[in-house]
Amino acid sequence: MNPIGPLGAADEGFNHQIVDTVATVGTSDLAWTEKVCAMACAPDGSVQLGFGLGQYKNRNVLDGYAGVSRGVEQVTVRGSRTLLPTPEVLSVGPIEYEIVEPLRKIRFSLAENDCQPVAFEWTFEAALPAQLEDRTHMRRGYRVMSDLVRYHQIGTARGWVSIDGVRTTFDDWVSTRDHSWGVRYDVGVPLGDVESMDLPPEVSFRMIWAPILMTRADGSRYGLHLHYQIVQMDGFFSKTVMGGVEHADGRFEKWQDLVPDLSFDPDNRRLLGGELRATTEDGTERVLKVETLSDTGFHLGAGLYFGFEGRHHGSWLGPGLHVDGERIEDCSTYESARRLHQIRDTVVRVTDSTGATGIGNCQPIITGGDESLGLTKETSFM
């Protein structure tokens, strides 16, 4: 017996953080995940590309998704394979992630495939430095639900997309990406013999996560990262605010508070727009107007976020490669929204009261009822 993980090419580098090979992580938790997620969108919101890749070392699984949102339509391809014997290969079937230049240039691609008539390749180029977010540490009672680190980056994209055999090239689209690792919630089929971590129906949960590429009148750029989580029920209110203003020289102005005044469609709970009152730590206030540019928005549920038709992140599907997907003609219907869940990469335009405007990605969730917004508990879903 030799309790050491497999030796691989990565062990040649000076990257070790624990007394084991790089193939091994510092916990046996089956929810350990390393994941990247990215999107690229046309500035008018007509088309959006979605991409995600996840590695689950304690499950011996690598899975991913890639697809296209065009108005209310979404076409998605998913892949899953055993991690061994090629853990260093960051691809699964037609889905591939390539690090061209660390923290500067990344290539995301979906090759032509037999599953769905979509393919793309885009190269992300950083407009701003990568930004670490606050650590995510969620606990319910004695149980740690998640403990992970994430960074995001805002940039531009150039490449091509093919839909139904029609290929279109693009340049200077907006692109955002994030990379996280740690113990993550919602990995694998929910266990039947442990306490449920789902929110009770009487709890209202509100969140947005939004990296935005802003442009001033003189052409210079900066970023806004908008992230809040609000949990409330009778007699209880909790609010967490993260993010801030990101500058090209690396400076970061952290938010002290974000006060949302946003509206949502009562049937599918899609974000309709509104305003955010943002205050930085030095007390400076600004009003951010948020507009949804179109119905385009890649539903992450098809990428297995919160599960999709019995499938979950990191699930073992057996040895070898598995590729599947679907084409949903209208994701905005009442039924489709619940099948795909709320969270999606929504293309938004933001106008800063300082005079700058920008395009970016907003992932919203709002559960529970709110009479002022026309939302009822009966129509709530995650």
Side-chain angles (χ1 to χ4, degrees):
M1 298 294 292
N2 188 17
I4 303 174
L7 191 65
D11 290 299
E12 287 281 21
F14 280 38
N15 305 305
H16 299 84
Q17 300 292 315
I18 61 174
V19 187
D20 214 317
T21 62
V22 173
T24 307
V25 295
T27 174
S28 62
D29 197 316
L30 291 175
W32 175 273
T33 305
E34 183 149 10
K35 181 176 286 292
V36 296
C37 187
M39 77 93 201
C41 66
D44 62 358
S46 57
V47 182
Q48 185 188 65
L49 312 180
F51 182 99
L53 193 75
Q55 186 188 82
Y56 314 85
K57 286 191 172 176
N58 292 334
R59 290 174 169 268
N60 192 24
V61 170
L62 181 79
D63 63 19
Y65 68 87
V68 178
S69 171
R70 185 173 55 173
V72 296
E73 179 188 44
Q74 180 168 321
V75 188
T76 309
V77 177
R78 289 179 296 274
S80 177
R81 68 170 176 87
T82 51
L83 187 57
L84 288 173
T86 55
E88 71 283 354
V89 176
L90 299 178
S91 65
V92 52
I95 301 165
E96 184 175 4
Y97 172 77
E98 181 184 355
I99 303 167
V100 181
E101 182 182 345
L103 301 178
R104 288 292 309 166
K105 189 178 294 186
I106 306 292
R107 186 169 295 122
F108 304 94
S109 59
L110 170 64
E112 299 284 355
N113 60 91
D114 296 329
C115 181
Q116 294 295 330
V118 292
F120 61 69
E121 181 179 289
W122 93 81
T123 300
F124 170 97
E125 295 194 40
L128 300 166
Q131 185 68 47
L132 278 168
E133 301 182 15
D134 293 352
R135 181 186 296 271
T136 298
H137 187 91
M138 299 170 61
R139 182 186 295 271
R140 179 84 63 83
Y142 297 108
R143 182 179 174 187
V144 175
M145 299 168 60
S146 65
D147 184 19
L148 58 88
V149 169
R150 173 186 289 107
Y151 67 83
H152 66 263
Q153 193 166 30
I154 303 170
T156 60
R158 56 181 175 83
W160 58 268
V161 57
S162 175
I163 306 172
D164 294 323
V166 179
R167 180 163 166 156
T168 304
T169 60
F170 57 83
D171 193 10
D172 206 31
W173 280 15
V174 172
S175 185
T176 66
R177 69 184 189 101
D178 71 270
H179 183 175
S180 63
W181 57 94
V183 175
R184 190 182 182 93
Y185 51 86
D186 189 40
V187 174
V189 176
L191 298 175
D193 62 344
V194 297
E195 180 184 9
S196 172
M197 293 293 103
D198 293 340
L199 292 174
E202 66 272 16
V203 174
S204 171
F205 175 73
R206 305 180 183 208
M207 180 206 86
I208 67 168
W209 180 88
I212 313 293
L213 180 59
M214 303 296 295
T215 305
R216 301 181 182 90
D218 63 4
S220 62
R221 286 171 159 172
Y222 65 99
L224 297 176
H225 183 224
L226 311 169
H227 187 21
Y228 63 77
Q229 295 182 7
I230 299 173
V231 180
Q232 64 184 76
M233 58 185 294
D234 290 342
F236 177 84
F237 178 87
S238 172
K239 182 179 184 180
T240 303
V241 173
M242 289 176 271
V245 184
E246 303 174 12
H247 297 277
D249 61 3
R251 288 181 299 117
F252 179 70
E253 300 175 74
K254 190 174 182 179
W255 300 127
Q256 180 186 88
D257 197 12
L258 292 170
V259 179
D261 183 13
L262 304 173
S263 60
F264 300 83
D265 184 291
D267 288 331
N268 56 31
R269 303 230 166 177
R270 288 188 169 198
L271 174 67
L272 298 178
E275 291 184 346
L276 291 165
R277 190 170 73 248
T279 307
T280 49
E281 287 189 318
D282 65 0
T284 302
E285 290 191 0
R286 63 220 293 168
V287 176
L288 307 173
K289 180 181 178 182
V290 180
E291 303 171 83
T292 55
L293 291 179
S294 67
D295 288 322
T296 298
F298 193 90
H299 281 269
L300 299 183
L304 305 186
Y305 284 76
F306 299 116
F308 181 73
E309 299 183 342
R311 293 273 301 280
H312 295 269
H313 284 143
S315 291
W316 169 258
L317 301 183
L321 171 67
H322 302 264
V323 178
D324 67 353
E326 66 286 311
R327 186 172 198 155
I328 300 176
E329 293 184 357
D330 190 348
C331 298
S332 68
T333 66
Y334 185 94
E335 295 77 16
S336 291
R338 282 146 185 81
R339 179 186 179 196
L340 291 163
H341 310 294
Q342 283 190 52
I343 190 166
R344 67 190 189 111
D345 288 336
T346 310
V347 184
V348 296
R349 176 168 54 221
V350 174
T351 303
D352 194 335
S353 56
T354 62
T357 61
I359 303 293
N361 174 24
C362 183
Q363 296 179 356
I365 297 177
I366 181 168
T367 69
D370 189 323
E371 292 183 3
S372 67
L373 296 177
L375 306 178
T376 65
K377 291 181 180 180
E378 291 72 25
T379 59
S380 180
F381 67 102
M382 180 62 80

